[in-house]
Amino acid sequence: MGSGGHRELSDRPGRWHFVLLPEGRLVEKESSEWQLQGQPTVLLTLAHIFHRFAPLLRKVYLVESVLTSFLLGVMEAGTPTQAQAVVRQVLDLLWLFMEDYEVHDCLKQLMMSLLRLYRFSPIVPDLSLQTHYLRLTIAILRHEKSRKFLLSNVLFDVLRSAVFFHIKSPLRVEEAGLQELIPTTWWPHRSGREGKDSKEVQDETAEERLRRRAYERGCQRLKKRIEGLACLAWVGCGPQCSVPHPHPVVEELQVQILKLLLNNKDDNGGEASRYIFLTKFRKFLQENANGRGNIPLLCPPEYMVCFLHRLISALRYYWDEYKASNPRTSFSEEAYVPPQVFYNGKVDYFDQQRLGGLLSHLRKTLKDELASKANILIDPLELQAATMDDLDEDEEPSPAAAQRPMQALAIGGALPLPRPSWLSSPTLGRANRFLSTAAVSLMTPRRPLSTSEKVKVRTLSAEQRTREDIEGSHWNEGLLLGRPPEEPEQPLTENSLLEVLDGAVMMYNLSVHQQLGKMVGVSDDVNEYAMALRNTEDKLRRCPKRRKDILEELTKSQKVFSEKLDHLSRRLAWVHATVYSQEKMLDIYWLLRVCLRTIEHGDRTGPLFAFMPEFYLSVAINSYSALKNYFGPVHSMEELPGYEETLTRLAAILAKHFADTRIVGTDIRDSLMQALASYVCYPHSLRAVERIPEEQRVAMVRSLLAPYEQRPWAQTNWILVRLWKGCGFGYRYTRLPHLLKIKPEDANLPSLQKPCPSLLLQQHMADLLRQDPDVAPSFLNSVLNQLNWAFSEFIGMIQEIQQAVERLERNFVDTRQLKVCATCFDLSVSLLRVLEMTITLVPEIFLDWTQPTSEMLLRRLAQLLNQVLNRVTAERNLFDRVVTLWLPGLESVDHYPILVAVTGILVRLLVHGPASGTEKATSVLLADPCFQLRSIRYLLGHPEPPAPGTALPAPDRKRFSLQSYTDYISAEELAQVEQMLAHLTSASAQAAAASLPTSEEDLCPICYAHPISAVFQPCGHKSCKACINQHLMNNKDCFFCKATIVSVEDWDKAANASATSSAA
């Protein structure tokens, strides 16, 4: 034992050792002095000392008060290199002279002590305390044996090690010295009213500009302080250190910890740190994804955010380092996760949902595709749900396998005590389980595979894998087993880094995005207080000087708001420096591009794309949303490298996959639909949609025009509305005009996105409706059906609301009912706008009666338009009464949105169309029994002529009129409405003079509105053409006898009577 220890301590020249002086003080000695004085005697002495001393190092209070303080003092005593060498020597002595279980307890308590110190240390301006504790943590983790033990048993199993990667926000501004760093505060002033011409935000004054610039300089000082760039001396260096060297950034120290944990070169006599980390990291993700396990060990979102950023930095470092030594691989800037990782069973995704549904279902339905494209056969036992999880994971390894070889035994020391269960070796445990289940584990070939040979696979849990399962071997591709023909042969990087990358994407999906959105609340608070302060200042200016009591209260309020804004603006600076900095934005942007490349490569595999976990699409959508909404206005997404290309690639993914049949999950399909709807709302992203290949654009529009039945149609209808907004009649507003009339103070709030119609996508829609004879009838029939349903539901709900209000007893209308009512109204308006767009782009669908469905579609449209007009424009009707109640939740319900949409359709039919089309539309509109000319007069505010014997309406009653909205409706549009009213007035008078009374027996027995004009064959029953055409869209059975209708023929009573008499 002595000779073994002798070699370990003295073979390396220049190593430092400890000598215990008589007064009990440890001092360093060069190894040459040790050799002169004789090491065996010293080793024997130390062995006896540690025999008595070792049990004490297992005590929590001694480790925290003595050992931790001693090591922190070592870190302060010399240069970083000297300090790390001393810590390494101390750890060598611990492992040499103490039993394993004693060292394990000591290291466990030491790391727990350091974590507590780091977590609860106060936030000082230069973060020196945090830096100090991180330096000692790094020095301990640089010791290979200690690092592997801590990684295997402590960092993820006992401690919440993500704390080491977190920089906590100060609870008080004074705590972090923010007042000194940012003496001048500033906050954005957002104002401006939306109207006819959208006004820009008012230019800032000279004083505001000076404050903003001073605030920005303070933010830069804070950022440098956090990053440590303002200091040249390493915190902790003594006065004797006169050599200037860079301050180690806190974040860089945290990245160094992860670099040590991701080291894969320390596999001497055991498993490398990286593969231990992968096992623990995967279990960490599983615990946080499933919400199972010990709740206190789950990672809080604020820790997860910092952990992700540090992990990305360490990952990219190793990725590019590998690229430097292997030129055929890729840079981290081109990183993605190959698609075979998702189906070859080498990475366990536990309960994460796949795009195509359950993994077991996919393996059964796509087993032929796996065999033909990836040369993979699923083990039959896997299909029978016999998985590795059936093994007893808590079973202890055999004593022979669990016994760890001792480097040295303390002379005269006691025999090792039985090892606690939590210290059992996970590496050997994995080896035992793997060997005992080799017959059913993943079979890895030992020779090159021919194209006809298949590999049988099973899903392996993290504990069951070996390094060969991950990195592969000479004839085994490891994680990349089952490469599809669409994937390149050259490797991207080390396979283990691909799994780390996959875990980083999953981390963002678990809680990082949620936390990024939560931190935006500070910015929202600043805006709210800034608005309150502006309102208070306005009141101070308007308040009469004689009202000193009011002035005093307003001054107090102004002081409170100003102090709160000072505090929040400084806190916002801290958030921007630590959470929303440019570097953090680049990390999220890199993750977005990784997801885009992964989705693109997965899409090329055809049906195997269904194996991809849903969270890749979710992260692509959410990371873009975070970059656009959370990091601004300090950092703009437009400044990112390759911004336009990234925007276009994401647009292509959304356009292709929102209706992808390979994606079956309802939630992810809704997310894709909502993301595309948001994408077309903004000019930059809408232009990106227009830049994708024409074939993809046409396919997207075709999917949007699919019939609305049997699918979620509200979002697709909203997308079509956004493509039209800005082109419709009176459809250029960003806030509902009636709200600005009744609540002008709301104009100070940020307005909605401005209209940005897409003429290119409108043209694609027109071409599809015009060229494909099957698209237009099915699409428009479904739109009319949904309009009928939505408006009928709306009317039914406002009837219930009115009845509830009129009850004598005190009652409250359910807020959910109000929300559904407003939603049905908004749906009705949006469906009317889609009809307006269709009529404008392709009027012949309704007006060219040579097409078999045109007349029927026009009659249905006229019937629905008359119903809407009658319900909304009737004097003192139900709609009027509910609107005047001003119920919260029904703010969007008003005359303007729906009447303007109906007017736009009527103007397109009766004014803009050709003469023949106008004549047909007029005749159909007037022939509908629900048509009332007064509804058209109502649009322009013309009062209805009183009936004989009735009193005139009150002259002071406020009436609706399109002429009251000249900021939103142009003079040309108003002239068109006047022209339409004159045309309908004249045509109505002519129709009334020429119409002949119709007997009841000649009316359609279905609608009693139109004369009989069609006879069914072979049964001979009759109805009007409108009823039978609408009925045949969904049903082929006769109304009356349920016989199958073979054909429909025109029927004219006079012609039929003459033919009958001639035959007689």
Side-chain angles (χ1 to χ4, degrees):
M1 188 278 297
S3 60
H6 176 82
R7 285 193 300 272
E8 181 179 355
L9 291 175
S10 61
D11 281 351
R12 300 181 187 176
R15 276 182 80 172
W16 289 84
H17 299 272
F18 290 104
V19 175
L20 186 62
L21 297 183
E23 59 270 23
R25 185 165 54 90
L26 280 173
V27 297
E28 298 89 349
K29 287 286 187 179
E30 287 285 354
S31 58
S32 58
E33 297 185 30
W34 281 74
Q35 293 173 358
L36 291 175
Q37 297 176 6
Q39 291 185 4
T41 304
V42 176
L43 291 175
L44 287 171
T45 305
L46 287 176
H48 284 286
I49 293 174
F50 270 93
H51 174 60
R52 304 294 183 184
F53 187 54
L56 299 178
L57 289 179
R58 300 178 62 195
K59 305 297 184 182
V60 177
Y61 58 91
L62 285 177
V63 172
E64 186 163 352
S65 62
V66 178
L67 181 59
T68 305
S69 301
F70 166 72
L71 293 178
L72 288 172
V74 168
M75 299 303 295
E76 294 178 355
T79 64
T81 304
Q82 294 172 341
Q84 289 177 3
V86 172
V87 173
R88 184 170 59 249
Q89 291 287 343
V90 172
L91 293 174
D92 282 339
L93 290 174
L94 294 180
W95 283 101
L96 181 63
F97 294 110
M98 293 173 62
E99 301 295 341
D100 280 1
Y101 70 92
E102 295 173 334
V103 182
H104 294 170
D105 280 352
C106 179
L107 288 176
K108 173 187 171 184
Q109 301 301 337
L110 178 59
M111 292 306 295
M112 292 180 67
S113 173
L114 276 175
L115 186 138
R116 283 193 295 268
L117 289 171
Y118 179 83
R119 182 180 181 182
F120 298 109
S121 58
I123 300 294
V124 295
D126 56 2
L127 298 175
S128 58
L129 294 176
Q130 287 78 5
T131 303
H132 196 39
Y133 302 137
L134 288 175
R135 287 178 56 210
L136 178 54
T137 304
I138 291 174
I140 295 172
L141 292 176
R142 286 190 187 278
H143 190 268
E144 180 179 326
K145 193 172 182 181
S146 301
R147 175 173 69 249
K148 290 184 179 181
F149 163 73
L150 292 171
L151 191 52
S152 299
N153 299 280
V154 177
L155 292 182
F156 286 94
D157 298 282
V158 179
L159 302 181
R160 186 181 285 170
S161 56
V163 172
F164 282 120
F165 310 118
H166 180 234
I167 300 178
K168 64 180 180 180
S169 300
L171 297 178
R172 298 182 304 276
V173 171
E174 300 80 5
E175 182 183 4
L178 294 182
Q179 287 181 331
E180 292 75 16
L181 289 171
I182 310 176
T184 304
T185 58
W186 172 85
W187 47 87
H189 293 266
R190 296 197 295 186
S191 60
R193 293 176 180 269
E194 188 273 334
K196 184 176 181 179
D197 296 321
S198 181
K199 299 180 181 180
E200 301 294 333
V201 177
Q202 298 178 356
D203 294 334
E204 59 184 359
T205 63
E207 180 183 357
E208 290 175 346
R209 188 181 302 111
L210 290 175
R211 288 186 60 190
R212 177 175 57 82
R213 291 176 178 174
Y215 176 74
E216 290 173 351
R217 289 193 296 271
C219 293
Q220 287 298 320
R221 287 193 296 270
L222 173 63
K223 188 171 184 294
K224 291 179 179 179
R225 182 66 62 87
I226 292 175
E227 294 181 349
L229 301 179
C231 180
L232 290 178
W234 189 336
V235 173
C237 291
Q240 70 278 11
C241 180
S242 58
V243 179
H245 44 268
H247 182 325
V249 184
V250 172
E251 294 183 2
E252 180 58 31
L253 290 175
Q254 295 168 334
V255 172
Q256 287 182 27
I257 293 177
L258 279 172
K259 287 179 182 178
L260 291 171
L261 300 183
L262 288 174
N263 183 9
N264 67 335
K265 302 296 193 295
D266 57 349
D267 54 352
N268 302 322
E271 194 172 14
S273 298
R274 180 181 297 177
Y275 305 104
I276 305 175
F277 175 83
L278 285 178
T279 300
K280 297 298 181 179
F281 183 50
R282 210 70 196 175
K283 293 194 68 175
F284 166 82
L285 294 175
Q286 183 176 6
E287 290 174 354
N288 286 274
N290 299 338
R292 295 196 296 261
N294 194 351
I295 298 300
L297 294 181
L298 298 183
C299 186
E302 58 270 22
Y303 295 172
M304 193 80 88
V305 172
C306 298
F307 189 7
L308 175 66
H309 287 297
R310 312 305 179 261
L311 184 62
I312 289 176
S313 299
L315 170 62
R316 297 193 66 178
Y317 167 80
Y318 277 114
W319 194 299
D320 292 330
E321 182 185 59
Y322 188 77
K323 165 66 178 176
S325 58
N326 298 270
R328 294 180 65 249
T329 58
S330 303
F331 286 106
S332 64
E333 196 58 43
E334 304 163 356
Y336 69 93
V337 179
Q340 58 265 41
V341 174
F342 306 132
Y343 57 73
N344 64 16
K346 293 297 186 74
V347 177
D348 183 11
Y349 287 99
F350 21 98
D351 297 331
Q352 294 296 304
Q353 188 72 16
R354 309 297 181 107
L355 294 177
L358 294 176
L359 180 61
S360 58
H361 168 74
L362 292 175
R363 285 179 165 171
K364 292 177 182 178
T365 57
L366 298 177
K367 59 182 179 180
D368 294 337
E369 286 78 4
L370 285 172
S372 60
K373 294 178 69 70
N375 288 334
I376 284 181
L377 293 177
I378 302 299
D379 192 329
L381 294 177
E382 184 85 0
L383 298 178
Q384 297 172 12
T387 65
M388 290 287 193
D389 296 333
D390 296 333
L391 299 173
D392 185 6
E393 292 295 334
D394 296 329
E395 182 182 356
E396 287 295 321
S398 62
Q403 182 65 35
R404 184 177 57 84
M406 302 284 290
Q407 286 188 355
L409 290 174
I411 297 179
L415 291 176
L417 295 176
R419 187 172 310 179
S421 60
W422 66 272
L423 286 176
S424 59
S425 169
T427 302
L428 297 176
R430 285 194 298 275
N432 287 336
R433 285 190 292 271
F434 181 82
L435 292 174
S436 64
T437 58
V440 292
S441 64
L442 180 61
M443 298 182 182
T444 52
R446 302 302 177 186
R447 53 190 175 81
L449 287 173
S450 66
T451 56
S452 60
E453 288 182 294
K454 314 297 181 185
V455 181
K456 187 183 293 185
V457 300
R458 285 183 63 95
T459 299
L460 293 177
S461 65
E463 295 87 349
Q464 294 163 345
R465 297 182 307 171
T466 63
R467 175 169 183 167
E468 187 175 337
D469 288 320
I470 299 173
E471 299 292 3
S473 59
H474 188 58
W475 302 118
N476 170 28
E477 295 181 280
L479 282 186
L480 300 184
L481 180 69
R483 179 179 60 84
E486 296 83 5
E487 276 297 292
E489 294 185 8
Q490 64 269 21
L492 288 170
T493 185
E494 296 176 281
N495 291 354
S496 53
L497 296 181
L498 293 175
E499 185 172 343
V500 177
L501 176 59
D502 176 79
V505 177
M506 190 186 298
M507 281 179 66
Y508 186 90
N509 182 67
L510 292 179
S511 57
V512 171
H513 181 73
Q514 177 187 3
Q515 181 65 18
L516 289 177
K518 181 180 178 181
M519 297 302 292
V520 179
V522 180
S523 179
D524 295 339
D525 291 343
V526 169
N527 294 328
E528 291 178 5
Y529 277 98
M531 182 178 297
L533 180 61
R534 286 197 301 272
N535 292 338
T536 304
E537 291 172 347
D538 290 341
K539 292 175 182 177
L540 273 173
R541 285 191 293 269
R542 297 195 306 266
C543 182
K545 294 183 178 179
R546 65 178 182 276
R547 297 301 305 270
K548 294 183 179 180
D549 53 340
I550 299 178
L551 286 173
E552 183 179 355
E553 292 299 324
L554 289 175
T555 304
K556 290 180 180 178
S557 300
Q558 182 186 28
K559 182 180 178 182
V560 170
F561 291 145
S562 298
E563 291 176 352
K564 189 66 176 178
L565 275 171
D566 289 341
H567 169 80
L568 288 175
S569 63
R570 292 187 175 103
R571 188 177 175 209
L572 186 62
W574 179 278
V575 171
H576 282 155
T578 57
V579 180
Y580 299 122
S581 67
Q582 182 72 19
E583 293 76 16
K584 308 301 184 298
M585 188 178 191
L586 289 172
D587 285 345
I588 304 301
Y589 183 60
W590 180 77
L591 210 60
L592 166 62
R593 292 167 68 91
V594 165
C595 290
L596 295 182
R597 282 188 289 269
T598 301
I599 296 168
E600 290 168 351
H601 282 262
D603 179 44
R604 297 171 192 163
T605 62
L608 298 184
F609 179 62
F611 281 96
M612 180 178 291
E614 286 184 354
F615 63 77
Y616 273 89
L617 280 171
S618 299
V619 171
I621 295 169
N622 292 334
S623 57
Y624 167 73
S625 174
L627 291 169
K628 181 168 64 75
N629 299 320
Y630 299 162
F631 286 85
V634 179
H635 304 293
S636 173
M637 189 178 177
E638 299 177 13
E639 301 172 357
L640 295 171
Y643 162 74
E644 296 289 344
E645 177 204 0
T646 302
L647 218 58
T648 304
R649 291 169 66 181
L650 180 57
I653 288 173
L654 295 177
K656 181 172 184 178
H657 296 300
F658 85 94
D660 194 340
T661 56
R662 295 172 295 180
I663 302 175
V664 300
T666 304
D667 292 341
I668 189 62
R669 290 177 69 91
D670 288 346
S671 297
L672 287 167
M673 191 80 70
Q674 293 170 11
L676 183 60
S678 174
Y679 222 70
V680 299
C681 288
Y682 302 93
H684 286 295
S685 51
L686 180 60
R687 300 291 89 83
V689 175
E690 295 178 343
R691 289 195 299 268
I692 66 178
E694 181 178 356
E695 181 182 356
Q696 295 184 17
R697 294 198 306 268
V698 173
M700 179 191 74
V701 175
R702 185 183 296 275
S703 298
L704 293 174
L705 296 180
Y708 281 2
E709 285 83 7
Q710 306 301 323
R711 71 184 182 93
W713 55 269
Q715 287 289 346
T716 56
N717 190 80
W718 170 247
I719 294 173
L720 292 174
V721 170
R722 287 301 310 174
L723 299 179
W724 176 245
K725 188 173 184 179
C727 298
F729 184 92
Y731 202 35
R732 293 171 292 276
Y733 52 82
T734 59
R735 289 182 61 79
L736 292 174
H738 67 274
L739 290 182
L740 293 179
K741 282 181 172 294
I742 61 176
K743 294 183 178 181
E745 66 275 8
D746 285 354
N748 289 324
L749 297 175
S751 62
L752 303 176
Q753 57 274 11
K754 299 178 182 178
C756 52
S758 173
L759 300 181
L760 178 61
L761 297 179
Q762 289 179 21
Q763 187 59 48
H764 289 327
M765 177 179 174
D767 293 340
L768 285 172
L769 291 174
R770 189 179 290 114
Q771 297 169 5
D772 194 328
D774 298 328
V775 171
S778 58
F779 170 69
L780 290 174
N781 188 60
S782 66
V783 172
L784 293 171
N785 287 341
Q786 300 302 337
L787 175 60
N788 183 40
W789 168 83
F791 191 73
S792 299
E793 287 292 317
F794 168 71
I795 294 299
M797 288 183 182
I798 62 175
Q799 288 175 348
E800 294 178 5
I801 293 172
Q802 177 65 21
Q803 292 171 3
V805 171
E806 291 177 349
R807 294 192 189 105
L808 296 178
E809 64 272 14
R810 182 177 179 85
N811 57 82
F812 299 93
V813 181
D814 188 2
T815 55
R816 290 176 298 178
Q817 184 180 8
L818 294 175
K819 185 176 181 180
V820 173
C821 180
T823 301
C824 289
F825 179 81
D826 295 338
L827 287 175
S828 301
V829 174
S830 64
L831 289 164
L832 287 168
R833 287 297 184 180
V834 170
L835 289 170
E836 179 191 15
M837 174 171 61
T838 306
I839 293 171
T840 304
L841 297 176
V842 198
E844 59 267 27
I845 293 179
F846 293 91
L847 303 178
D848 182 8
W849 285 8
T850 60
Q851 300 180 16
T853 58
S854 294
E855 182 181 358
M856 182 271 296
L857 289 173
L858 183 60
R859 291 187 184 279
R860 286 199 66 192
L861 177 64
Q863 181 184 10
L864 287 172
L865 293 180
N866 284 326
Q867 289 179 6
V868 172
L869 283 173
N870 292 342
R871 290 285 190 175
V872 176
T873 61
E875 294 289 342
R876 303 182 184 278
N877 66 353
L878 180 64
F879 186 87
D880 268 341
R881 291 197 295 271
V882 171
V883 167
T884 54
L885 289 176
W886 307 115
L887 294 175
L890 293 184
E891 291 85 359
S892 63
V893 178
D894 192 77
H895 297 80
Y896 181 88
I898 195 165
L899 289 182
V900 171
V902 172
T903 304
I905 296 175
L906 293 175
V907 166
R908 294 293 176 182
L909 288 173
L910 303 176
V911 176
H912 289 287
S916 60
T918 301
E919 181 180 351
K920 293 175 183 176
T922 304
S923 63
V924 169
L925 191 66
L926 296 180
D928 188 87
C930 297
F931 174 77
Q932 298 182 24
L933 189 61
R934 66 161 184 81
S935 298
I936 309 299
R937 295 194 185 101
Y938 184 93
L939 298 175
L940 294 172
H942 296 174
E944 182 181 359
T950 59
L952 293 174
D956 58 344
R957 183 175 180 271
K958 188 176 181 180
R959 302 182 60 85
F960 173 84
S961 174
L962 296 178
Q963 296 173 343
S964 303
Y965 295 90
T966 54
D967 286 346
Y968 308 95
I969 302 176
S970 64
E972 180 183 359
E973 290 173 330
L974 287 174
Q976 293 168 357
V977 179
E978 294 277 4
Q979 181 182 348
M980 178 184 69
L981 176 60
H983 169 73
L984 287 176
T985 302
S986 172
S988 180
Q990 295 176 8
S995 62
L996 296 175
T998 303
S999 64
E1000 184 175 345
E1001 65 180 12
D1002 294 331
L1003 288 176
C1004 170
I1006 304 301
C1007 64
Y1008 285 94
H1010 305 290
I1012 295 174
S1013 56
V1015 59
F1016 318 152
Q1017 298 297 340
C1019 63
H1021 289 108
K1022 307 177 188 67
S1023 74
C1024 66
K1025 287 184 178 180
C1027 287
I1028 187 58
N1029 286 338
Q1030 180 177 346
H1031 177 69
L1032 290 177
M1033 294 290 291
N1034 303 306
N1035 199 325
K1036 302 298 182 183
D1037 296 338
C1038 174
F1039 290 109
F1040 308 99
C1041 64
K1042 304 303 178 184
T1044 301
I1045 299 175
V1046 178
S1047 62
V1048 178
E1049 299 176 358
D1050 293 340
W1051 188 84
D1052 183 271
K1053 181 176 181 180
N1056 187 66
S1058 61
T1060 303
S1061 60
S1062 299

